[in-house]
């Protein structure tokens, strides 16, 4: 039990680390497109790692009243992998279509 | 396989997928809930079967198998992508040099294009901006990830292998 708890904590910590770098990227990077790089990638893996930790926790501390919860969490992971890059791409395309200029090296940050 | 039996096959596959999904999400196995699930799945299967199973499902099994193998490579790329972003963001000087690149692919089917677009978005340093007739516009955060798509073309080859569209 203790070993599994340690693994769960590692998963959660890794997830929080990646969400944290996503936030730092959102604040530090110079323009709209590069900020999307930080949020689009870090959020996906951060969320998935956190959900994987929850899944492992639920599966190891077996709850009889809700046996299907790990399956639902697995579905959540699959849908995050599908929806997150698609949403990032949609926001990116909308910005590109409306003429947001990409930042070039050496310019002022916006 | 003629057109009519193809349609029936599509409805059947959609119905089974929807009903399985219903059972897993509801978790209550009495007559009322299962009955409601059957009715709802049937309505959805009749209305929108062509969204899930489009046309003929040729070589679906071997494509699914190749896709399953591809997913593990892709997951590893996602981990690399996150360390890449973390490095660039946390580095005091922020080693970024954004540019927009475009390239052609041999892929034509919607599923293959979506797979490649989402893979590009999830892998190190690149996000898909737009796709038109197999041509991709990609925003890259630095020179190296851009070269990985323009010169090496590892990912295009892998996706083309999965969907057998060279």
């Amino acid at each position: 039990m203790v070993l599994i708890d340690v693994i769960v904590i590692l998963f959660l910590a890794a997830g929080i680390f990646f969400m944290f770098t996503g936030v730092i990227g959102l604040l530090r990077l110079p323009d709209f497109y590069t900020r999307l790089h930080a949020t689009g990638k870090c959020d996906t893996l951060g969320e998935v790692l956190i959900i994987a930790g929850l899944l492992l926790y639920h599966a190891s501390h077996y709850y009889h009243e809700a046996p299907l919860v790990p399956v639902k969490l697995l579905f959540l992971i699959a849908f995050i992998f599908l929806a997150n890059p698609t949403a990032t791409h949609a926001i990116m395309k909308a910005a590109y279509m409306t003429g947001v200029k990409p930042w070039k090296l050496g310019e002022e940050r916006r | 396989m003629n057109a009519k039996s193809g349609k029936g096959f599509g409805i059947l596959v959609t119905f089974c997928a929807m009903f399985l999904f219903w059972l897993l999400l509801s978790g209550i196995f009495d007559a009322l809930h299962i009955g409601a699930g059957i009715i709802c799945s049937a309505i959805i299967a009749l209305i929108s079967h062509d969204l899930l199973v489009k046309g003929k499902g040729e070589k679906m099994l071997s494509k699914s198998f190749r896709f399953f193998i591809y997913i593990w490579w892709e997951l590893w790329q996602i981990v690399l992508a996150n360390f890449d972003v973390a490095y660039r963001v946390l580095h005091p000087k922020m080693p970024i040099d954004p540019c927009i690149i475009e390239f052609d692919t041999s892929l034509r089917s919607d599923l293959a294009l979506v797979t490649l677009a989402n893979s590009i978005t999830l892998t190190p340093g690149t996000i898909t901006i737009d796709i038109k007739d197999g041509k991709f516009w990609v925003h890259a955060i630095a020179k190296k990830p851009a070269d990985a798509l323009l010169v090496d073309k590892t990912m295009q080859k892998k996706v083309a292998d999965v969907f057998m569209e060279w």
Side-chain angles (χ1 to χ4, degrees), chain B residues 4 40 43 45 49 62-63 66 68 73 75 77 81 92 96 106-107 116 118 124 128 130 134 148 150 159 162:
Chain B
K4 205 171 176 195
C40 291
I43 293 172
H49 62 91
S62 83
K63 276 183 194 171
R66 285 153 180 255
F68 185 73
W73 180 80
L75 280 178
Q77 292 294 309
I96 57 171
S106 58
L107 306 173
L116 182 57
N118 277 3
T128 315
D130 204 358
L150 285 175
V159 175
V162 169

Side-chain angles (χ1 to χ4, degrees), chain B residues 131-144:
Chain B
I131 314 167
K132 206 167 262 172
D133 302 326
K135 188 171 186 184
F136 280 70
W137 281 262
V138 171
H139 183 273
I141 202 167
K143 278 274 150 348
K144 210 173 133 236

Side-chain angles (χ1 to χ4, degrees), chain B residues 28-118:
Chain B
I28 306 168
F29 301 101
D30 60 9
L32 174 69
H33 287 85
I34 290 183
I38 289 177
I39 293 171
C40 291
S41 314
I43 293 172
I44 292 172
L46 283 176
I47 294 174
S48 56
H49 62 91
D50 49 346
L51 285 178
L52 193 64
V53 185
K54 205 170 188 182
K56 342 159 256 300
E58 33 176 76
K59 295 182 188 159
M60 272 317 254
L61 212 61
S62 83
K63 276 183 194 171
S64 314
F65 181 68
R66 285 153 180 255
F67 190 71
F68 185 73
I69 294 174
Y70 172 75
I71 282 180
W72 299 105
W73 180 80
E74 179 62 29
L75 280 178
W76 175 238
Q77 292 294 309
I78 292 170
V79 175
L80 287 184
N82 278 272
F83 279 110
D84 181 73
V85 169
Y87 167 73
R88 285 182 205 284
V89 164
L90 298 176
H91 195 284
K93 283 184 191 147
M94 277 205 297
I96 57 171
D97 179 15
C99 54
I100 289 179
I101 55 174
E102 46 182 274
F103 58 87
D104 270 317
T105 62
S106 58
L107 306 173
R108 284 298 173 269
S109 73
D110 287 348
L111 200 58
L113 289 173
V114 167
T115 307
L116 182 57
N118 277 3

